Amino acid sequence: MSDPFWIAVEDQLHELTAAKSADDVIKILSKERNPYGHECIAGDGYFGGSGGDGTVRESLLTAGWETVWWRAGYWYAMKAPDDSMITYIEGDIYRGDKRS
């Protein structure tokens, strides 16, 4: 795979396997590192690689995170080993539990 977009996505997924806090996830998926550009992000971070081979959830499970709640593959919350949390909503990453 030589497409710069997918290379950036794979790098982010790999880095997420070592994320131990919400801060780590937000840094890895920061607006500045978004392969689409940062002007289209609503959350604290964004994962542009949905539809690819890996997922944020799979990478975070590898890093020791646990699922707090799950509505669908595009809407869920996870808790880090340090007890901080993120909510994933259609690629946008929000700090904390954004259930409502």
Side-chain angles (χ1 to χ4, degrees):
M1 170 180 349
S2 61
D3 181 327
F5 173 85
W6 289 109
I7 291 170
V9 167
E10 286 300 317
D11 287 348
Q12 288 175 330
L13 288 171
H14 177 72
E15 290 177 48
L16 287 171
T17 65
K20 298 300 181 196
S21 69
D23 287 340
D24 291 344
V25 172
I26 290 167
K27 180 179 177 185
I28 293 164
L29 301 176
S30 69
K31 295 177 182 190
E32 294 75 26
R33 294 190 63 201
N34 177 14
Y36 284 126
H38 66 276
E39 63 281 346
C40 64
I41 297 175
D44 299 309
Y46 184 76
F47 178 67
S50 60
D53 292 336
T55 68
V56 169
R57 184 171 178 270
E58 290 168 346
S59 291
L60 293 179
L61 288 171
T62 298
W65 289 57
E66 62 184 70
T67 303
V68 175
W69 56 265
W70 169 281
R71 298 290 187 272
Y74 56 84
W75 188 26
Y76 56 86
M78 296 187 77
K79 183 168 68 170
D82 76 347
D83 290 330
S84 60
M85 294 177 55
I86 60 107
T87 301
Y88 180 98
I89 305 172
E90 296 183 353
D92 286 302
I93 305 294
Y94 296 90
R95 182 184 316 276
D97 182 348
K98 306 295 184 195
R99 204 174 309 213
S100 54

